[in-house]
Amino acid sequence: MGSRSYATKITRSESFGGLLKTRPVAKTDRLMLHALFQDDTPPQFGILIPKRLAKRAVDRNALKRLVRHACRDALGNYQGKFLVRLSKPVKAVGHSDRAAWWTELQQLFSDLARRAPSQ
């Protein structure tokens, strides 16, 4: 039981609907984390960055890469499905901003650790 697994991406769009109906378990200034804890499900995550909040494809892709990298490691200890979504408009995601985004993601996952049921 001590082996750590990595979270995988949610591939079906139907899974997003159920996650969006749940209340966010963690929030930061620009991000929200929705969760459905299930004992029999390996960790899976989805990313929702709408075009209306991040107009440029470069910014959406940069955010998705950052979130994907953070989720693979941080969610490996949990069982269930998770959704990270952008909640406020973003002007640009430059190289200088990435450290701030990474800090915000770490804050999101530390909030999840405090609110998650014991595994």
Side-chain angles (χ1 to χ4, degrees), residues 3 18 24 31 46 49 53-54 68 75 85 91-92 98 104 106-107 109-110 115-117:
S3 67
L31 298 171
I49 301 179
L53 295 179
R68 193 177 307 122
L75 297 175
R85 73 177 177 109
K91 298 276 185 209
R98 292 182 188 201
E104 196 166 334
Q106 296 307 314
Q107 179 186 352
F109 294 126
S110 67
R115 295 190 177 125

Side-chain angles (χ1 to χ4, degrees), residues 1-2 4 13 18 22 24-25 30 36 47-48 53 55 63 65-66 69 79-80 83 97 102-104 107 113 117:
M1 282 258 158
R4 181 184 167 129
S13 61
T22 64
V25 293
R30 301 174 283 193
L36 280 174
I47 304 168
L48 186 62
L53 295 179
K55 299 286 186 197
L63 284 175
R65 280 193 300 273
L66 280 168
H69 181 69
Q79 292 181 333
L83 176 67
D97 299 332
W102 187 258
T103 303
E104 196 166 334
Q107 179 186 352

Side-chain angles (χ1 to χ4, degrees), residues 18-117:
L19 284 165
L20 284 172
K21 291 178 185 175
T22 64
R23 289 184 135 192
V25 293
K27 291 182 186 180
T28 62
D29 289 340
R30 301 174 283 193
L31 298 171
M32 290 184 179
L33 178 66
H34 298 266
L36 280 174
F37 296 101
Q38 300 168 334
D39 290 338
D40 58 344
T41 306
Q44 294 180 321
F45 68 92
I47 304 168
L48 186 62
I49 301 179
K51 191 174 184 179
R52 66 182 170 86
L53 295 179
K55 299 286 186 197
R56 295 176 23 182
V58 172
D59 297 330
R60 289 192 306 274
N61 290 332
L63 284 175
K64 286 178 188 177
R65 280 193 300 273
L66 280 168
V67 172
R68 193 177 307 122
H69 181 69
C71 284
R72 287 199 195 278
D73 291 334
L75 297 175
N77 293 330
Y78 303 102
Q79 292 181 333
K81 295 182 180 182
F82 303 89
L83 176 67
V84 177
R85 73 177 177 109
L86 185 65
S87 60
K88 290 188 180 174
V90 174
K91 298 276 185 209
V93 181
H95 287 288
S96 59
D97 299 332
R98 292 182 188 201
W101 281 101
W102 187 258
T103 303
E104 196 166 334
L105 283 164
Q106 296 307 314
Q107 179 186 352
L108 196 70
F109 294 126
S110 67
D111 288 350
L112 172 68
R114 284 194 296 263
R115 295 190 177 125

